[in-house]
Amino acid sequence: MSATAQKRAPTPSDIKARKGTEPLVTLTAYTTPIAQLVDEHCDIVLVGDSVGMVLHGLPSTLSVTLDMMILHGQAVARGLSRAMMVVDMPFGSYEESPQQAFANAARVMRETGCAAVKLEGGVAMAETIRFLTQRGIPVMAHIGLTPQAINTLGGYLVQGRGEDAQRILADADAVTEAGAFAVVLEKIPASLADDITDRVSIPTIGIGASAKCDGQVLVVDDMLGLFTAFKPKFVKRYGSLGQDADTAIATYAAEVRARTFPAPEHIFADKAPEKKK
Ligand code: KIV
């Protein structure tokens, strides 16, 4: 069932069952008003740890905390009624042990009401994914470019080119076998994304991957053109809200300086106008 036809939020099992059918539409959201806007159009809304860079001006996702993810998760939950909410596990909240991951993911689910968590990593995280899924925590995996690992990957580089493809294929197999219900493929060659999509039994959600993935995800601020400092190659801008906002703010500033705002219709008289009988 498509996002526009469904009456209730899909579950992770519904999403898994969509493999190879209608493409899964995913966007990030970090606030209630944006969640309200994307809800009607998306199957999945991701409270991504990209919130740290997009809303908090951090240089990377590495200093995003569990408390930040929970606060934004709660805000997004208030804006959703149809889409499924997934919340990112931030760096340092799950890698140490499956037990650490369970305690923190259970807190995220309890305090935000999300249907699932997302975590980065393939083979190295398979044991943790298995531990979580066997204990009632659905996991969306994230492989390829994993931004929490930029310091070991050497930056935001395309992953899986040439012989490195074998590593990404092994990651895809490992997270599928461990029980993830879907996997994000970030910034890998399109042919590799297609091979993975054909090979694994769970939906692939591409970002900088391939149009043949089972779904796509973008950072909502990027695609709206709100976050204008930098545009990765894989982002298509569907709007230019940053420019619109700049024009609106400049006009407001000019009108305040010219004392043309507030105008008579924005101010109050001493006496309230008499009510018509
Ligand atoms: O943090 C995020 O927004 C993400 C998506 C871009 C996949 O992980």
Side-chain angles (χ1 to χ4, degrees), residues 211-266:
K212 289 191 196 152
C213 286
D214 298 298
Q216 301 294 327
V217 58
L218 281 178
V219 168
V220 71
D221 298 56
D222 284 344
M223 58 84 75
L224 291 177
L226 262 169
F227 186 50
T228 51
F230 168 70
K231 187 182 90 58
K233 177 180 162 77
F234 56 74
V235 171
K236 176 174 176 185
R237 288 223 171 108
Y238 289 84
S240 49
L241 269 53
Q243 255 168 24
D244 292 351
D246 188 57
T247 306
I249 294 162
T251 308
Y252 164 74
E255 291 189 2
V256 169
R257 291 192 178 107
R259 297 195 186 281
T260 55
F261 176 84
E265 64 268 29
H266 305 121

Side-chain angles (χ1 to χ4, degrees), residues 264-265 267-277:
E265 64 268 29
I267 56 180
F268 301 93
D270 272 349
K271 278 188 181 170
E274 275 183 26
K275 280 190 189 146
K276 283 186 189 156
K277 286 187 185 158

Side-chain angles (χ1 to χ4, degrees), residues 98-195:
Q99 288 76 9
Q100 179 212 25
F102 182 82
N104 286 328
R107 186 178 158 216
V108 168
M109 290 190 80
R110 195 168 53 239
E111 296 186 23
T112 68
C114 66
V117 297
K118 176 166 82 61
L119 56 84
E120 296 183 8
V123 171
M125 281 300 126
E127 189 193 342
T128 294
I129 294 172
R130 185 170 297 106
F131 193 90
L132 297 186
T133 53
Q134 286 179 347
R135 287 162 180 76
I137 301 186
V139 177
M140 175 181 275
H142 183 158
I143 62 173
L145 173 64
T146 47
Q148 293 174 12
I150 45 162
N151 290 317
T152 44
L153 294 176
Y156 297 93
L157 308 172
V158 176
Q159 302 294 308
R161 280 192 168 135
E163 287 182 5
D164 192 38
Q166 292 310 316
R167 176 176 65 88
I168 309 294
L169 287 169
D171 283 342
D173 288 343
V175 300
T176 305
E177 202 265 321
F181 71 90
V183 57
V184 170
L185 306 180
E186 179 163 355
K187 217 168 174 183
I188 60 173
S191 59
L192 175 59
D194 293 346
D195 287 350

